[in-house]
Amino acid sequence: MDLEINTSMSNIVKILKNLGFNPVNVKSNGVLEAKLKTGFGRFHVLGVEVNGRVYLDVHYDLPIHLMFIGVDYSKKPEKVCKEILAEAAKQNIEAKITGGTSWFNRKNKAIIKGIKIKK
């Protein structure tokens, strides 16, 4: 699922750490990557900040996966997305789910493909 959050990357790092994501890293190119292991798989969050908004890609994947096989973009990530929205709401941060329930309707494919989004 895709999220759009009206805050800084540092606030997103705090939110994800509060929810148990570990590690939470912001790479030198500005792309955030966070992981939360659960059972056999993990929740994987990728994000980038553009013009004061952070765009997140939240999905669940198995240890061995490809774009379509072993990755869940809707059912399992929905719970985590709602937790992220609730944590943002506690801090009076505007956030919303913008779609992205399958590979074909992703709003931020550039993050997944590793293409740097220019401001």
Side-chain angles (χ1 to χ4, degrees):
M1 296 186 111
D2 297 329
L3 297 174
E4 181 180 330
I5 305 173
N6 191 18
T7 192
S8 67
M9 188 66 80
S10 61
N11 285 337
I12 297 299
V13 169
K14 290 176 192 173
I15 287 171
L16 293 174
K17 284 184 177 182
N18 287 345
L19 294 174
F21 280 83
N22 185 24
V24 179
N25 298 312
V26 179
K27 299 176 184 177
S28 61
N29 63 357
V31 174
L32 173 137
E33 183 174 16
K35 297 174 185 173
L36 175 65
K37 292 185 180 185
T38 87
F40 187 61
R42 68 179 180 181
F43 289 99
H44 194 194
V45 177
L46 297 167
V48 68
E49 185 176 350
V50 179
N51 298 328
R53 289 186 182 267
V54 177
Y55 296 88
L56 297 179
D57 161 71
V58 182
H59 62 275
Y60 179 84
D61 53 38
L62 298 175
I64 298 174
H65 62 279
L66 298 169
M67 286 186 275
F68 307 106
I69 301 168
V71 181
D72 181 357
Y73 294 105
S74 61
K75 294 184 192 251
K76 288 183 181 180
E78 183 176 20
K79 180 184 177 211
V80 172
C81 288
K82 287 181 178 179
E83 290 174 3
I84 293 170
L85 294 177
E87 192 70 26
K90 287 181 191 175
Q91 300 177 28
N92 294 321
I93 297 171
E94 179 188 336
K96 63 183 175 182
I97 295 173
T98 59
T101 55
S102 77
W103 177 254
F104 298 106
N105 65 3
R106 311 252 3 119
K107 298 246 185 225
N108 54 5
K109 289 181 188 173
I111 295 169
I112 298 167
K113 292 179 182 177
I115 299 171
K116 186 174 180 182
I117 296 175
K118 296 185 180 188
K119 296 180 183 180

